[in-house]
Amino acid sequence: MEYTFRILRFDPQTDESPYFQNFLFETDLNKSILEALMTIRNEQDGSLSFRYSCREAICGSCAMVINGRFDLACRTEIQSLNSPQIVIEPLPNMEIQKDLVVDMDPFWKALHAIKPYVQSNGDIPENGYRIEDREIDKIFQYVNCILCGSCYSACPVVSRNEDYLGPAALAKLLRFVKDPRDKRLFADYAGVSTKDGVWGCHTIFKCNEACPKDVRPADGIEALRRKMVVEKVKSLFRINR
Ligand code: FES
């Protein structure tokens, strides 16, 4: 079977604007989009640029837009697309560095802002932490995030407000706030109670659609909003957490 890969190309050093280039790719095997891109690069155009690492849907680096849908190139099988033409585009909302490689600095900056790691108070149990299943259940959905950037890229609020933290960072914040090992206080994350933070979300749910791991970041933002309201009321009535 012959497929036409219509790939968005752009080299800011030499091109005035992005353009599509067609490549023919022939296979009767059920190859992944990533395997096809690697073959095209190896056999047809060595300058074709894209990111990948694990090839097992774990690292998140091969996220791109495939026939209009956000997905990981390494886990998308060509035959599953049921189309002889496959359009490949880089993640939107981020500047193209070259072809399918985008500048993810704004995404990492937003993530860094919420301090995405467990903040203990130094009181670590001698035999380590033991977390109950019901506590794991509260955060498991968000632990699955592989930081591929698809949700950030799909978010219409990010496209209009570059200061908005975006779905991945806010859902990740909830993941730590709900983690029983994390001892951060409301005052430590109350700063995201702004239009650039938790109240910036317009609940359009594009992030839920885009996530290749079913993390449903919009659910996390909603839960974080509820938590912030509760904490705010508590703080007004001076009730300790
Ligand atoms: Fe790691 Fe695709 S290469 S997720």
Side-chain angles (χ1 to χ4, degrees):
M1 172 104 187
E2 191 175 80
Y3 298 90
T4 302
F5 273 71
R6 193 162 165 69
I7 303 176
L8 192 128
R9 306 293 309 270
F10 183 53
D11 182 346
Q13 310 254 355
T14 54
D15 301 325
E16 275 187 13
S17 55
Y19 62 96
F20 281 99
Q21 185 174 6
N22 289 351
F23 297 92
L24 292 180
F25 177 75
E26 224 174 307
T27 184
D28 289 324
L29 303 172
N30 198 11
K31 300 254 185 193
S32 70
I33 294 293
L34 180 62
E35 287 175 299
L37 289 176
M38 291 164 82
T39 305
I40 290 168
R41 183 196 57 192
N42 294 344
E43 297 177 1
Q44 299 184 47
D45 187 341
S47 71
L48 179 63
S49 303
F50 49 94
R51 284 197 180 107
Y52 68 95
S53 180
C54 70
R55 304 196 211 175
E56 292 183 349
I58 294 170
C59 74
S61 51
C62 69
M64 54 187 71
V65 181
I66 302 166
N67 277 0
R69 286 190 63 245
F70 291 82
D71 216 329
L72 302 171
C74 66
R75 74 156 195 184
T76 304
E77 294 175 339
I78 295 176
Q79 288 176 6
S80 73
L81 299 171
N82 291 320
S83 170
Q85 173 160 289
I86 297 167
V87 181
I88 309 277
E89 297 163 277
L91 292 179
N93 280 353
M94 289 180 276
E95 211 169 289
I96 299 174
Q97 289 186 319
K98 187 164 183 306
D99 301 333
L100 305 174
V101 176
V102 294
D103 178 4
M104 292 189 69
D105 273 0
F107 173 79
W108 298 124
K109 202 173 141 204
L111 189 70
H112 184 71
I114 60 99
K115 298 192 170 72
Y117 38 82
V118 170
Q119 295 188 33
S120 83
N121 55 9
D123 189 15
I124 299 170
E126 200 175 293
N127 297 321
Y129 287 106
R130 180 166 179 79
I131 303 178
E132 302 297 331
D133 286 351
R134 63 187 160 75
E135 290 172 322
I136 292 279
D137 288 346
K138 286 183 200 160
I139 59 172
F140 191 72
Q141 172 186 350
Y142 308 106
V143 171
N144 281 337
C145 171
I146 57 172
L147 302 176
C148 66
S150 293
C151 61
Y152 184 87
S153 187
C155 176
V157 181
V158 171
S159 70
R160 289 195 300 270
N161 176 10
E162 60 183 18
D163 294 324
Y164 177 51
L165 288 172
L170 291 169
K172 190 66 81 178
L173 176 57
L174 180 82
R175 173 253 176 276
F176 286 105
V177 165
K178 291 269 185 188
D179 190 315
R181 300 166 298 175
D182 193 289
K183 304 300 178 202
R184 71 184 83 193
L185 303 172
F186 178 53
D188 297 328
Y189 61 93
V192 303
S193 184
T194 63
K195 71 171 179 42
D196 296 335
V198 77
W199 303 110
C201 173
H202 291 188
T203 53
I204 297 166
F205 301 112
K206 287 283 178 193
C207 54
N208 284 5
E209 271 174 41
C211 178
K213 291 291 191 177
D214 295 326
V215 170
R216 301 183 59 82
D219 299 9
I221 296 173
E222 282 298 297
L224 191 57
R225 283 175 166 178
R226 285 196 295 274
K227 174 124 183 102
M228 300 207 77
V229 170
V230 170
E231 294 295 342
K232 184 71 185 169
V233 170
K234 277 185 185 176
S235 71
L236 285 175
F237 287 91
R238 299 185 188 285
I239 298 170
N240 290 330
R241 213 162 75 130

